[in-house]
Amino acid sequence: MVSGNLFLCRKNSWPPEEYIGRTTLQLFDFDSAAPPKQAWRRRLNSHANFLKEFSVTFMEAIKMVRLGIRMWSYVREEASYGRKAPIDPFTRESCRPSASQGVPLGGMGSGSISRGFRGEFRQWQIIPGLCEASPVMANQFSIFITREGGNKKFASVLGPGQHEGLGSRKKAADQGISSWGWNLSGQHSTYHALFPRAWTIYDGEPDPELKVSCRQISPFIPHNYRESSLPAAVFVYTLVNTGKERAKVSLLFTWANSIGGISHLSGEHVNEPFVAEDGVSGVLLHHKTAKGIPPVTFAIAACETQNVSVSVLPCFGLSEGRCGTAKDMWGKMAQAGQFDRENFNSGPSIPSSPGETLCAAVSASAWVEPHGKCTVAFSLAWSSAKVKFLKGNTFPRRYTKFYGTSDRAALDLAHDALTNYKRWEEEIEKWQSPILQDERLPEWYKFTLFNELYFLVAGGTVWIDSSLVASHMRNEQHQVTKLENGDVKVTKAEVYCREGAVVGHKTTNAYDSTNSEGAKDNNEKTGTRNSHKDEAEVPLAKGHSNCNLQSLTMRDPQNDDDDVGRFLYLEGVEYIMWCTYDVHFYASFALLELFPKIELNIQREFAKAVLSEDGRKVKFLAEGNWGIRKARGAVPHDLGTHDPWHEMNAYNIHDTSKWKDLNPKFVLQVYRDFAATGDMAFGVDVWPAVRAAMEYMEQFDKDDDGLIENDGFPDQTYDTWTVHGVSAYCGGLWLAALQAAAAMALQLDDRDFAERCKSIFLKAKPTFEAKLWNGSYFNYDCGSSSNSKSIQADQLAGQWYTASSGLSSLFDDFKVRSALQKIYDFNVMKVRGGRMGAVNGMHPNGKVDETCMQSREIWTGVTYGVAATMILAGMEEQAFATAEGIFIAGWSEEGFGYWFQTPEAWTIDGHFRSLMYMRPLSIWSMQYALSMPKAILDAPSINIMDRIHVSAINGKPSQAESGVRKIAKKARCFGNSVLHCSC
């Protein structure tokens, strides 16, 4: 736990007074209009430099040439089926990545749109797995100001005119957006970010006597599983008139009927004005998608009040056409400051023609008295009720549980956002304030901690409503999963479950997920919110595979609030695989802290997967050999790409059933979550999978010393970094997993298995230390290669989880602290003076390990994890200095420009690999270490391993599961858990 004011000398604080005049801040000191002191900041006229992507060295390219050829062939094959390969290093986005990102919009899992710090809407991820990075520049806020008497007029887009997305400069004959007033220099305008909110302050631009604050709010609210799923955002403008003349201010919100890229040109799009309750009115933009992708409807709206008048222009184009042009629209606003009221009665527009861009506008006008204040609120919402994956399965999104599947749900979402945003803010501030007000913590850490959460919105997240799945599966005949590969080691334990199922040695139930394409909203015509679920046909599981996962929604039939749906998030926008598990190991701390029910459900998904097998043949690209997609007992690398839950292990570079870190990581995460939540039903649900995962690993102990050995290829998350024999990373994870499994077995009264794990642990630990401990740290591996004695930053990953779970330390304090100090002195401080994070590999002579590209990289998420381990070991100063390197290189003004797109890795010369990546969410493991869950803090301090008595003859655990069955009867059980226990 952080003590005193240890970090006052390393605040790295950016006081708002350095960006905004103190007087302006005082004027906005009401209604949350002023940005908080703890926020990330950037001036709008800051240069958004292009980012430098990594490249392999000549020697690395030589080593990977065969892999490259096979991957090229695979990428082309997938493209021939109209699919994008999960990893495609050959295709580059048309929009070069730049340092232009900002806080994304909306909640989790219903598609996302990011908004750059200069105001542009970009990074469109409405369609699962597809990211359109280019900004749609017609989507803007603009302002029109007329001073009483008409002597002063100002009109400008509220974004700087020098922008890579704008194209050519203004031409007299141009009818498009370059004809607008791009008059903002951005010199006196600043952006302030504290996810899920952002503030843009216009300090006298474009009118020197008008101060403007735009506050962006999205419903990301921890432990709120309803509103955090809503695809909506609010923009609250606070206007302060410092002049002596009354001012008429008109704010304009323009939006193109587009889902990014060139989708606006496909035709058949329709815009429609609407008037809703509580003064909310605006325009619906119905977007007809191509290739059978479910349609999308946007709603842009404003709230009319006693002082604010709202008008709309349902349709305008970017060139001459059937409706007015962007130039005409701008001219109307510059002249009148509003549109005709008759536009509300115009009805749906004529569908757009191919090649034609259809846009809409909402204007909100108000008079602001001299030295007066005014608030104007806009909302943006989008409704894409169904998620369709490329191989055919369709699911209803989570928000449809509350709003139904009608395209007019966008109207209700826009309305509710405008009427509820103040409550959202109250809940967000209540969540954030304790951390923001903690004077012991560095300022940079506070806003980086919250801003790294951007990935839970912009990381391609998909959140589906599973009540449809559950209701149908109760009436479906269950299919039985058959074990296809008799050589795979699995648990022999059997737990007898409801409906005669047996989970364990030979059989388990497997259900297919729903195909809800036929779903109908009962209130399509009225657009009213509907909490009842639509009905759909549920197909039987596919005959050629037995790996399809049942819906693990954990819903208590007596409490509908327990059904939190099913959640997916990408490894990264470049690595399109859902819930990549070796990376989730690092990122999962954020979900456990903020949305623990989602975290437990993800673990249940993987628990079911452990007990399943997919015998379909797959070609592994690294060696060109063939194997089965998923072995029983092995934890899958991911839940799939184009058919998640049905076709796992989209990753096909290596056979991940032979990886040595996935199974221990599963056991460690399960036990951490079990210990942190105290959820006994969860423990009972996943226990058979924990046993199966542990027993599967025994095949990798070749010499019966209790330790697993790596097999001389990159068989872990560092998938280009070869390991030989016993390794610090995988061996340490295995030791920790033995301890966690033993502890969990004891708490579930499975004493035979607890004894088994302890006996292996007692044999393995001294062997591990004898083979790897060199007096100051653990060697990379016990082999004889040139990097076997390298200092790996991640060598104490097992110790990290042991400490995070309230278990006794794997090693004595001296060894833990010595290894961490070595990492700090070498991997951190010998790389640019500690200003870049921890390099993965470092030779003991102080030179970076350049064995492969990953050994020489700095992994952002690993660095945060190392810092968390340091905190748990009482090395707070080194911890925050280590993590600060990621802030300096990634988030600070002197850094590379990776804000809101933190990559997986960067090199010492500042080249990135894989922007917008899952692993940096592990910064929340630092916060977890600073404020351990009460369930762990209150646990008995006695070493749980000391409570396990190892019998003189300890063979394989017996098949009896009386202890687990007994606990299952007492635990709170859910209708669709992995184990249908009879309670």
Side-chain angles (χ1 to χ4, degrees):
M1 186 67 67
V2 175
S3 56
N5 292 317
L6 184 61
F7 307 113
L8 284 177
C9 59
R10 299 184 68 88
K11 280 278 188 179
N12 225 328
S13 174
W14 300 346
E17 293 84 354
E18 294 181 8
Y19 291 76
I20 314 170
R22 188 179 297 273
T23 303
T24 300
L25 282 172
Q26 291 173 347
L27 290 171
F28 286 132
D29 191 20
F30 74 102
D31 191 36
S32 301
K37 294 180 180 179
Q38 307 88 353
W40 178 87
R41 314 187 196 283
R42 190 66 76 243
R43 297 189 188 279
L44 262 60
N45 66 343
S46 298
H47 176 62
N49 57 288
F50 290 111
L51 308 180
K52 298 181 292 184
E53 191 167 7
F54 90 105
S55 58
V56 297
T57 66
F58 177 75
M59 290 305 298
E60 289 167 353
I62 292 296
K63 292 178 182 178
M64 293 191 292
V65 64
R66 290 186 177 87
L67 168 62
I69 293 171
R70 284 188 282 266
M71 182 167 284
W72 168 252
S73 176
Y74 171 67
V75 168
R76 291 185 63 186
E77 180 184 0
E78 286 293 285
S80 70
Y81 293 110
R83 300 191 296 259
K84 182 175 175 60
I87 301 176
D88 178 4
F90 309 106
T91 305
R92 292 291 173 266
E93 297 290 342
S94 56
C95 177
R96 288 181 62 189
S98 63
S100 56
Q101 299 294 345
V103 175
L105 303 167
M108 301 189 299
S110 295
S112 70
I113 306 164
S114 290
R115 191 170 185 233
F117 73 87
R118 294 175 300 188
E120 71 280 9
F121 295 85
R122 58 192 311 144
Q123 296 292 137
W124 298 73
Q125 297 187 78
I126 305 297
I127 301 171
L130 179 64
C131 180
E132 294 284 0
S134 301
V136 176
M137 293 303 293
N139 298 349
Q140 296 288 341
F141 283 100
S142 303
I143 194 167
F144 302 82
I145 307 160
T146 303
R147 291 285 171 177
E148 196 166 41
N151 296 325
K152 299 177 183 177
K153 283 194 170 186
F154 304 90
S156 179
V157 177
L158 287 174
Q162 293 73 34
H163 193 285
E164 78 271 11
L166 187 57
S168 59
R169 299 298 298 158
K170 181 176 179 179
K171 299 176 182 178
D174 187 17
Q175 300 295 312
I177 61 173
S178 64
S179 65
W180 295 354
W182 297 87
N183 302 318
L184 198 79
S185 71
Q187 181 179 358
H188 302 292
S189 301
T190 53
Y191 180 81
H192 311 257
L194 190 65
F195 179 89
R197 296 188 294 172
W199 293 254
T200 306
I201 307 298
Y202 306 90
D203 194 359
E205 288 191 278
D207 181 349
E209 296 181 326
L210 185 71
K211 311 296 184 181
V212 180
S213 166
C214 172
R215 190 162 84 258
Q216 172 186 313
I217 309 153
S218 292
F220 182 97
I221 306 168
H223 307 286
N224 184 328
Y225 295 89
R226 173 182 172 133
E227 287 168 303
S228 295
S229 72
L230 304 186
V234 178
F235 306 90
V236 182
Y237 281 85
T238 303
L239 313 171
V240 180
N241 184 3
T242 61
K244 298 179 181 179
E245 301 160 318
R246 194 171 177 236
K248 182 182 180 182
V249 181
S250 296
L251 289 160
L252 176 70
F253 188 16
T254 53
W255 197 259
N257 198 323
S258 169
I259 57 172
I262 59 172
S263 60
H264 54 287
L265 301 177
S266 58
E268 298 299 318
H269 309 314
V270 174
N271 292 355
E272 175 187 4
F274 70 85
V275 177
E277 299 173 348
D278 304 311
V280 174
S281 56
V283 181
L284 292 173
L285 297 90
H286 304 286
H287 186 86
K288 183 178 175 59
T289 50
K291 299 179 181 179
I293 297 169
V296 182
T297 296
F298 293 95
I300 55 173
C303 191
E304 192 161 79
T305 65
Q306 186 175 0
N307 188 41
V308 178
S309 175
V310 177
S311 59
V312 301
L313 182 63
C315 177
F316 70 89
L318 302 184
S319 58
E320 295 284 358
R322 289 173 294 179
C323 55
T325 66
K327 183 176 183 179
D328 297 335
M329 183 277 300
W330 188 268
K332 174 73 171 178
M333 284 298 299
Q335 179 183 5
Q338 60 189 27
F339 303 114
D340 298 332
R341 298 289 296 182
E342 292 78 13
N343 290 346
F344 283 114
N345 302 318
S346 62
S349 66
I350 299 173
S352 63
S353 302
E356 178 184 17
T357 302
L358 200 61
C359 304
V362 174
S363 169
S365 305
W367 283 97
V368 189
E369 300 298 328
H371 306 291
K373 302 173 181 178
C374 180
T375 298
V376 179
F378 294 88
S379 65
L380 166 69
W382 56 95
S383 175
S384 180
K386 300 170 187 175
V387 177
K388 183 176 182 180
F389 294 101
L390 287 183
K391 291 192 175 179
N393 285 294
T394 303
F395 303 88
R397 292 194 189 265
R398 166 72 175 170
Y399 79 89
T400 64
K401 179 181 180 70
F402 318 108
Y403 285 83
T405 58
S406 167
D407 57 1
R408 302 188 73 83
L411 186 158
D412 296 321
L413 287 159
H415 168 274
D416 289 0
L418 285 169
T419 55
N420 291 326
Y421 76 85
K422 291 184 179 179
R423 179 174 53 78
W424 294 352
E425 285 198 287
E426 289 175 0
E427 295 187 39
I428 291 167
E429 289 172 0
K430 182 179 179 181
W431 156 48
Q432 294 184 336
S433 288
I435 295 173
L436 297 178
Q437 302 306 320
D438 191 340
E439 291 299 324
R440 302 168 299 170
L441 301 174
E443 296 300 305
W444 65 264
Y445 168 78
K446 296 175 184 178
F447 59 75
T448 307
L449 177 73
F450 290 113
N451 285 335
E452 287 285 18
L453 290 172
Y454 84 93
F455 190 82
L456 289 178
V457 171
T461 53
V462 171
W463 194 357
I464 68 167
D465 170 31
S466 54
S467 56
L468 260 180
V469 183
S471 64
H472 276 282
M473 285 192 310
R474 283 192 293 270
N475 299 318
E476 287 290 340
Q477 180 179 1
H478 302 321
Q479 289 195 332
V480 178
T481 301
K482 297 180 180 178
L483 183 62
E484 293 182 7
N485 185 350
D487 296 329
V488 177
K489 293 185 180 179
V490 296
T491 177
K492 294 181 179 179
E494 295 181 352
V495 179
Y496 296 94
C497 305
R498 184 175 300 154
E499 300 181 18
V502 177
V503 178
H505 181 48
K506 291 187 177 179
T507 63
T508 183
N509 287 336
Y511 310 102
D512 201 354
S513 299
T514 184
N515 183 328
S516 61
E517 195 146 21
K520 302 290 183 183
D521 184 6
N522 295 332
N523 294 321
E524 277 184 342
K525 295 182 180 179
T526 62
T528 56
R529 291 175 290 286
N530 181 7
S531 62
H532 299 290
K533 296 287 82 50
D534 309 324
E535 299 299 316
E537 291 300 321
V538 182
L540 293 175
K542 300 176 182 178
H544 63 278
S545 169
N546 65 351
C547 72
N548 299 333
L549 304 188
Q550 72 181 68
S551 172
L552 307 179
T553 56
M554 311 320 120
R555 190 165 72 95
D556 182 347
Q558 304 304 317
N559 184 2
D560 197 53
D561 291 339
D562 281 328
D563 178 11
V564 299
R566 305 175 82 179
F567 188 84
L568 298 169
Y569 65 146
L570 290 175
E571 179 177 337
V573 295
E574 296 176 35
Y575 297 161
I576 309 171
M577 293 165 282
W578 301 111
C579 295
T580 298
Y581 201 74
D582 55 310
V583 185
H584 181 69
F585 177 76
Y586 298 82
S588 58
F589 284 90
L591 287 174
L592 178 60
E593 281 273 286
L594 306 176
F595 297 95
K597 291 182 181 180
I598 289 177
E599 166 62 11
L600 296 187
N601 275 7
I602 290 175
Q603 302 297 11
R604 285 175 163 110
E605 302 277 14
F606 278 91
K608 181 63 182 178
V610 169
L611 301 173
S612 302
E613 177 165 306
D614 187 342
R616 288 173 288 182
K617 296 295 183 180
V618 175
K619 184 177 183 179
F620 300 112
L621 303 179
E623 301 296 334
N625 57 313
W626 290 80
I628 65 170
R629 179 175 289 277
K630 161 71 175 68
R632 179 180 171 85
V635 174
H637 172 273
D638 55 79
L639 292 179
T641 291
H642 301 306
D643 198 8
W645 300 297
H646 295 256
E647 188 178 87
M648 296 169 288
N649 279 341
Y651 177 93
N652 62 346
I653 296 177
H654 299 289
D655 182 355
T656 58
S657 294
K658 297 178 181 178
W659 275 18
K660 310 307 183 295
D661 63 336
L662 287 169
N663 283 38
K665 284 176 175 177
F666 170 72
V667 175
L668 288 170
Q669 287 185 76
V670 162
Y671 184 74
R672 177 206 57 190
D673 297 349
F674 177 62
T677 63
D679 189 332
M680 187 62 71
F682 168 73
V684 172
D685 280 352
V686 300
W687 179 242
V690 170
R691 290 186 55 148
M694 291 298 292
E695 293 191 351
Y696 181 84
M697 292 301 293
E698 291 182 15
Q699 64 183 296
F700 302 120
D701 178 7
K702 305 287 187 358
D703 53 6
D704 197 32
D705 61 356
L707 282 173
I708 60 170
E709 285 88 31
N710 293 88
D711 283 329
F713 75 100
D715 49 357
Q716 24 80 45
T717 193
Y718 299 90
D719 59 352
T720 68
W721 199 357
T722 297
V723 201
H724 298 89
V726 176
S727 70
Y729 185 68
C730 295
L733 290 171
W734 173 242
L735 288 179
L738 284 167
Q739 186 168 342
M744 192 170 182
L746 190 65
Q747 293 173 68
L748 293 175
D749 201 23
D750 188 351
R751 294 185 177 273
D752 286 342
F753 197 74
E755 288 185 33
R756 174 67 180 162
C757 290
K758 180 177 179 178
S759 65
I760 298 173
F761 178 84
L762 293 176
K763 186 193 321 184
K765 180 183 173 182
T767 305
F768 178 88
E769 297 191 55
K771 289 187 175 182
L772 297 178
W773 179 251
N774 62 22
S776 60
Y777 65 95
F778 295 97
N779 290 336
Y780 177 68
D781 64 27
C782 68
S784 56
S785 64
S786 61
N787 71 322
S788 288
K789 290 183 171 55
S790 286
I791 309 162
Q792 184 182 13
D794 216 1
Q795 63 184 267
L796 290 176
Q799 170 63 27
W800 171 33
Y801 258 73
T802 296
S804 297
S805 304
L807 296 171
S808 298
S809 178
L810 288 178
F811 315 106
D812 61 57
D813 290 346
F814 164 75
K815 289 177 180 175
V816 172
R817 293 175 66 93
S818 174
L820 289 172
Q821 189 65 46
K822 192 77 172 184
I823 293 165
Y824 179 74
D825 292 339
F826 280 71
N827 301 60
V828 178
M829 297 308 295
K830 289 187 182 294
V831 179
R832 302 286 174 90
R835 300 174 67 81
M836 294 195 73
V839 69
N840 282 338
M842 178 73 76
H843 289 296
N845 63 5
K847 293 185 178 180
V848 173
D849 184 346
E850 297 189 348
T851 302
C852 65
M853 71 178 193
Q854 290 178 345
S855 63
R856 62 183 171 91
E857 288 178 331
I858 294 160
W859 282 13
T860 52
V862 166
T863 298
Y864 286 141
V866 170
T869 312
M870 291 174 173
I871 291 172
L872 291 164
M875 301 170 63
E876 294 96 344
E877 187 169 4
Q878 295 94 324
F880 281 92
T882 295
E884 188 179 22
I886 302 301
F887 160 75
I888 293 171
W891 288 85
S892 73
E893 286 190 277
E894 63 185 271
F896 302 119
Y898 298 135
W899 44 82
F900 300 102
Q901 52 185 335
T902 314
E904 155 76 318
W906 54 63
T907 56
I908 294 174
D909 58 356
H911 288 72
F912 75 87
R913 180 170 62 81
S914 187
L915 289 175
M916 299 181 72
Y917 195 81
M918 181 198 294
R919 206 181 319 247
L921 284 170
S922 62
I923 191 173
W924 278 86
S925 68
M926 296 178 66
Q927 190 59 30
Y928 185 93
L930 293 168
S931 54
M932 295 284 280
K934 188 174 185 299
I936 291 178
L937 291 175
D938 292 347
S941 57
I942 186 172
N943 185 342
I944 200 164
M945 296 291 272
D946 292 339
R947 296 167 54 193
I948 302 171
H949 171 70
V950 180
S951 57
I953 302 176
N954 187 277
K956 294 286 184 180
S958 68
Q959 295 187 20
E961 287 278 9
S962 57
V964 179
R965 286 203 305 271
K966 182 177 179 181
I967 290 175
K969 293 178 181 180
K970 295 180 179 179
R972 182 172 62 94
C973 298
F974 300 97
N976 288 301
S977 59
V978 176
L979 295 183
H980 295 270
C981 43
S982 334
C983 40

